[in-house]
Amino acid sequence: MQSPSKISGASASTTTPAVCGLPGWVDLPEGLLQSIIPLLGSFLELLAFTGTCRSWRSAFSSHPSKSTFCTLLPPLLVRPHISVHAPHLPSRSDDGHELRTCQVLDLANLKSTLRCQIPEETFEELCFAGSSYGQLICGGGKNCLVVDVFTGAKVLPPQLPFDDDTYFYSGMLTAPLTSHNSHLLVCAASNQRSIQSSLLDWPVGSDSWSELRLDDSRIEQIVEFNGQFIALDGSYRLYTLSLAPELGLQEIATVWWNGMNECPYLRPWIVVCGDMLLMVDHYITLSYDGAPVNYKAYRLDLSTVPAVWVEVKKLENYSLFIGSDVRSPAFSCTSPGRWGGRSNCLYYGYYYQPWILHGLGDEADAVWDPDNDPDLVFKRNWYIRLQPFWVYPSMFYIGQ
């Protein structure tokens, strides 16, 4: 594992020397420093805080509620196809791999210039499988790679039990890599044309994978909700996922809205939003003077058997974030007005245009910008090329 610092902010370095040079700042009580942390309003402010000196960095690392930033601040948008000139950063990692310096956008501070460095091999030799807890999950052939998006630290799991043409449908971690009970879950097939896929489980640090063969589908998403792992398959059925005593899936009986027998959407996705598990997707409106698509959200009501999907007319004080690749995770954020965002909206990361803002439900037309790219594709897909994706840095999960 290697862990060079691969994230930089244009203005972070200008703050540190001034603060460290003032007598007494280094010796501020940890309790006082930790009371300041929740008041920080962007990732750049957090980066400047942790970069001030060792005692400030220690105060952040020991803060008991760092993960709350994953709901109070928007995720960062990594744009791997936008290369950024950064001559002061190394061009190769400690193990000799070439690095690509990529643009990173922080919606809470769009005037900032953030960058990250991703190994070039993830673009040229590996396939994107997902991202989780600040880690990029990739694979190629029999190999799988987990790399920290912002520090460059790598973890190499054992080889996969497949041939050299493995195709990845999804990948996620059940906990931060530093957690004693972290597992890497990957859904993959021996090749893209195979009708047989498997769900693979690697307890981080062990020397082997366990395998659950899937009969007629594939797992597209796994989220943690109310202490359980919930999986969504290619037919948009839900399952509870268990890791012990053995890897297993148990289908959750559900009823679609309006009495329909099957999911009416082409490619919906699930996201945890506060105390709700949402399913979200769009339909084409064919509107010439408003939003060309309308996104709707439905929450899963588990108080009945079977469980029921119930339409959510308005997300109130929440916003959602999603990328165009099926394998990129979705996020939710509360109180977006805190950083200048909009409630009841979906921030969709795109390839050519950084993101598109969609109003949910009845607010679609009011939010839609008529200057948006008219050639946008709204259906998520599995892409060969790494697409823009949202991520929270692994520093938010230290000690979790």
Side-chain angles (χ1 to χ4, degrees):
M1 184 184 295
Q2 54 120 8
S3 55
S5 177
K6 300 301 180 191
I7 184 169
S8 63
S11 60
S13 60
T14 62
T15 306
T16 301
V19 174
C20 282
L22 295 174
W25 283 93
V26 175
D27 302 319
L28 287 175
E30 183 174 276
L32 177 60
L33 291 173
Q34 291 193 346
S35 69
I36 296 172
I37 291 173
L39 304 178
L40 302 176
S42 70
F43 178 69
L44 190 64
E45 292 180 6
L46 287 168
L47 191 65
F49 183 97
T50 58
T52 298
C53 59
R54 183 174 297 177
S55 62
W56 287 41
R57 184 163 54 253
S58 175
F60 178 82
S61 297
S62 59
H63 193 279
S65 303
K66 294 185 296 296
S67 60
T68 59
F69 285 111
C70 296
T71 58
L72 293 176
L73 292 178
L76 300 176
L77 180 61
V78 177
R79 306 188 73 206
H81 61 295
I82 304 295
S83 296
V84 179
H85 182 61
H88 62 290
L89 294 178
S91 61
R92 291 187 177 274
S93 63
D94 289 352
D95 57 2
H97 285 92
E98 186 177 353
L99 297 169
R100 179 183 298 188
T101 305
C102 306
Q103 183 187 66
V104 179
L105 298 180
D106 180 3
L107 271 63
N109 191 345
L110 288 173
K111 294 182 179 180
S112 65
T113 302
L114 294 174
R115 297 167 285 268
C116 71
Q117 289 190 295
I118 299 176
E120 196 69 42
E121 63 182 312
T122 61
F123 299 93
E124 298 177 355
E125 303 173 14
L126 303 176
C127 174
F128 175 62
S131 66
S132 189
Y133 290 100
Q135 310 290 330
L136 185 65
I137 304 167
C138 301
K142 296 182 179 181
N143 298 315
C144 195
L145 172 68
V146 181
V147 57
D148 192 298
V149 175
F150 293 113
T151 71
K154 292 181 181 179
V155 172
L156 293 171
Q159 286 195 327
L160 296 163
F162 289 134
D163 297 328
D164 293 333
D165 193 23
T166 306
Y167 187 79
F168 294 85
Y169 289 110
S170 61
M172 72 158 287
L173 290 164
T174 63
L177 279 174
T178 53
S179 174
H180 71 279
N181 61 347
S182 181
H183 291 242
L184 173 61
L185 298 172
V186 171
C187 182
S190 57
N191 60 74
Q192 189 173 359
R193 296 172 297 279
S194 175
I195 60 174
Q196 176 80 56
S197 63
S198 294
L199 182 63
L200 301 164
D201 171 28
W202 176 57
V204 173
S206 68
D207 57 5
S208 64
W209 297 82
S210 59
E211 180 179 3
L212 177 65
R213 291 185 176 272
L214 305 176
D215 294 332
D216 60 350
S217 191
R218 59 180 180 265
I219 297 301
E220 294 190 355
Q221 267 188 280
I222 301 174
V223 301
E224 186 174 1
F225 177 64
N226 287 347
Q228 294 188 97
F229 292 107
I230 306 294
L232 178 74
D233 74 4
S235 299
Y236 310 115
R237 296 169 296 199
L238 289 181
Y239 303 83
T240 56
L241 184 149
S242 58
L243 300 173
E246 60 183 6
L247 187 62
L249 294 169
Q250 178 65 48
E251 186 173 355
I252 302 173
T254 56
V255 175
W256 297 106
W257 48 89
N258 298 330
M260 288 178 281
N261 295 324
E262 60 183 16
C263 180
Y265 287 143
L266 291 175
R267 195 156 289 159
W269 39 274
I270 54 177
V271 59
V272 176
C273 183
D275 61 356
M276 300 182 292
L277 179 64
L278 301 179
M279 177 173 283
V280 185
D281 205 359
H282 70 279
Y283 60 87
I284 305 298
T285 64
L286 301 178
S287 172
Y288 292 100
D289 55 357
V293 294
N294 192 317
Y295 283 85
K296 286 194 173 186
Y298 296 81
R299 65 174 178 85
L300 185 65
D301 182 0
L302 289 167
S303 65
T304 64
V305 179
V308 179
W309 290 104
V310 180
E311 184 177 356
V312 179
K313 295 292 186 180
K314 192 172 183 179
L315 285 185
E316 300 301 339
N317 203 24
Y318 284 92
S319 55
L320 304 178
F321 302 82
I322 195 65
S324 56
D325 196 300
V326 173
R327 294 159 293 200
S328 61
F331 296 99
S332 65
C333 178
T334 187
S335 303
R338 181 177 184 266
W339 45 268
R342 294 184 64 166
S343 298
N344 198 48
C345 285
L346 167 66
Y347 290 80
Y348 199 132
Y350 281 98
Y351 194 82
Y352 297 106
Q353 189 169 339
W355 73 85
I356 298 294
L357 189 61
H358 296 277
L360 292 167
D362 294 338
E363 297 186 10
D365 289 342
V367 172
W368 181 255
D369 184 348
D371 292 330
N372 286 331
D373 186 343
D375 297 322
L376 292 172
V377 176
F378 299 100
K379 184 179 178 182
R380 302 175 79 214
N381 214 329
W382 289 267
Y383 291 91
I384 297 175
R385 180 181 298 177
L386 183 60
Q387 300 294 302
F389 61 96
W390 302 95
V391 65
Y392 283 105
S394 60
M395 63 185 287
F396 287 1
Y397 305 103
I398 296 174
Q400 182 173 322

